[in-house]
Amino acid sequence: MQVKVLFDKEARDKKLHTGWGVSFLVNGEILFDTGEKGSWLLGNMEKLGVEISKIRSVIVSHQHWDHTGGLWDLLEKRRGVRVYVCPDFSREFKKKIKDLGADIVENKGFFCVDKDIFVTGQIRGSYKGAYIAEQALVLKAKNGLTVMTGCSHPGVDKVLEVVKEKFSHDKLYFVFGGFHLMDKDRREIKIVVERLKELGVEKVGPTHCTGYEAQQIFKDAYGDSFIFIKAGMEFDV
C-alpha cells in the first residue's frame, strides 16, 4: 500500500504549505485527516499530483480544527465521498458534512473501509481535562499492521493496544502521526516509548503534536527505524 503525506508541520519542498495538523493519503483514494486549512491542502494536492476525483473516502480522526480545516473545501470539490466519523462528534459537524452531499458513516468499533484498510472506531480520550472521541486508521499490509494517528488523545499506546486486541496475530510494523506528547516530561515519554517497544512496534514516525523532545527520544530509541515524516513524502508499507 502506498502512503503520501499531503500536509504536516514540515515539508520536503519549500513550495508545499506547512502548518498544524496532518493529512495522509492511502493508495490515492483514502484520505486521513485534512490539516488546518482547505486552500493549503488543495494546493499541496495539486503540487503533489493528487487527483481529487479519485478520493472515495475521508477519515476524520477527531473534531479539532487542525484536522478538519481542509474538509469543507475538499467536500465542495469532491461531492459524494464517504466520510467516516466518530458517533460522538457534534451534531453540527455531522450536519455540515451531510449538507455538502457526503455520505457519512459513524462507527463505534472497527469498520472495514476497503480491502485490508480499517478504522478503529471511536476510542475514549481526553483533551484539557474534557472527553474527546478519536479514531485511527489501520492498514493490514505485507509487512504487518501500519497505524496512522491524528493526535492520539487517548494515548498512542492505548490506540495500539486496541489495534492489537483486534489483530492479535499480526505484528505492529509502523505507527506514525501525532502522538500528543509535547506537554509530557521525559519520564512519561520514555514510558510510552518502552510500551511501544513491548507491543513490538518496528518503526515509528511521530510528528505534528508529538513535540520535538519526544521526537528525539523516539529517534534515540529507534535509530534507523525512526521515520521523519514530512509533507511530500511517499512510502510503501
Side-chain angles (χ1 to χ4, degrees), residues 2-196:
Q2 184 200 64
V3 176
K4 184 176 287 189
V5 181
L6 303 186
F7 194 81
D8 190 42
K9 63 182 179 181
E10 297 194 40
R12 282 189 162 181
D13 186 336
K14 291 182 179 179
K15 293 180 181 179
L16 294 172
H17 294 286
T18 57
W20 211 233
V22 297
S23 184
F24 308 125
L25 184 65
V26 180
N27 292 339
E29 298 181 338
I30 297 170
L31 187 67
F32 180 80
D33 280 349
T34 61
E36 69 166 278
K37 191 172 181 179
S39 60
W40 292 356
L41 175 67
L42 296 181
N44 283 3
M45 284 182 167
E46 184 177 358
K47 289 182 178 73
L48 295 171
V50 174
E51 294 185 48
I52 295 177
S53 62
K54 290 187 176 180
I55 295 175
R56 297 186 292 106
S57 303
V58 181
I59 290 85
V60 181
S61 66
H62 63 296
Q63 206 183 317
H64 281 169
W65 63 274
D66 52 333
H67 295 260
T68 64
L71 181 61
W72 317 117
D73 285 0
L74 178 71
L75 294 184
E76 289 278 6
K77 289 274 188 181
R78 180 68 176 100
R79 296 278 177 164
V81 298
R82 282 191 169 186
V83 181
Y84 292 81
V85 304
C86 295
D88 288 347
F89 287 1
S90 71
R91 287 183 183 178
E92 294 77 14
F93 183 78
K94 289 184 278 191
K95 182 179 184 301
K96 190 173 180 180
I97 292 172
K98 290 177 182 177
D99 288 346
L100 285 168
D103 179 15
I104 197 166
V105 181
E106 302 181 50
N107 35 282
K108 284 188 175 180
F110 271 84
F111 192 93
C112 183
V113 176
D114 204 344
K115 185 179 183 334
D116 294 327
I117 301 176
F118 306 85
V119 286
T120 61
Q122 70 182 27
I123 304 171
R124 186 179 186 86
S126 64
Y127 178 69
K128 294 184 177 179
Y131 164 72
I132 187 169
E134 186 166 345
Q135 60 185 350
L137 189 67
V138 182
L139 313 180
K140 194 172 182 181
K142 59 183 180 181
N143 294 312
L145 302 174
T146 288
V147 181
M148 57 185 76
T149 61
C151 264
S152 300
H153 289 298
V156 64
D157 48 347
K158 181 178 177 182
V159 170
L160 294 176
E161 286 166 3
V162 170
V163 172
K164 192 63 178 173
E165 185 177 345
K166 174 68 176 179
F167 299 106
S168 58
H169 298 297
D170 296 279
K171 68 177 180 178
L172 288 167
Y173 170 64
F174 186 21
V175 56
F176 66 95
F179 290 6
H180 214 275
L181 296 170
M182 59 186 179
D183 57 348
K184 305 296 185 184
D185 61 35
R186 292 183 65 85
R187 182 188 64 83
E188 292 175 292
I189 295 166
K190 286 183 176 181
I191 289 172
V192 173
V193 173
E194 289 170 8
R195 181 59 183 141
L196 265 60

Side-chain angles (χ1 to χ4, degrees), residues 187-212:
R187 182 188 64 83
E188 292 175 292
I189 295 166
K190 286 183 176 181
I191 289 172
V192 173
V193 173
E194 289 170 8
R195 181 59 183 141
L196 265 60
K197 289 277 191 178
E198 289 172 0
L199 288 166
V201 176
E202 293 186 12
K203 291 186 176 183
V204 293
T207 187
H208 176 41
C209 57
T210 304
Y212 288 111

